[in-house]
Amino acid sequence: MIDEDMPVRSQGGARLTAALALALAASTGFAHAQRRPPAPPNFDAFYELGPDSLIRRGVPKGTVKGPVTLPSRVYPGVAHDYWVYVPA
């Protein structure tokens, strides 16, 4: 409903204010929805293998045996998987 006593400038200003408020609300909601979750920590960046962990010529390689499943005697119905490194 248009009030004839209200100047035209105020009606346009009210419409402009409403449009700006709507645009601001829409843009902040859009920006919030586009945020990426934080990346998980990279623990490999902090740990470096020493010289004893590197592969060397002339040194035989071992093998990994498993998985071997062993039932628990303490907690019935629970089983654990194990892998065992067997040196050469």
Side-chain angles (χ1 to χ4, degrees), residues 69-80 82:
T69 304
L70 298 175
S72 173
R73 294 182 186 168
V74 177
Y75 299 104
V78 176
H80 298 279
Y82 294 93

Side-chain angles (χ1 to χ4, degrees), residues 5-82:
D5 295 334
M6 184 181 286
V8 175
R9 176 183 276 167
S10 296
Q11 291 176 1
R15 288 182 184 164
L16 180 62
T17 304
L20 287 174
L22 181 61
L24 180 64
S27 67
T28 56
F30 180 74
H32 180 68
Q34 297 298 319
R35 284 191 196 154
R36 293 182 183 168
N42 182 8
F43 296 110
D44 291 335
F46 303 110
Y47 182 79
E48 295 182 19
L49 295 175
D52 293 338
S53 301
L54 302 176
I55 297 174
R56 297 183 189 177
R57 284 184 295 176
V59 177
K61 297 179 183 178
T63 58
V64 176
K65 302 287 182 176
V68 176
T69 304
L70 298 175
S72 173
R73 294 182 186 168
V74 177
Y75 299 104
V78 176
H80 298 279
D81 295 331
Y82 294 93

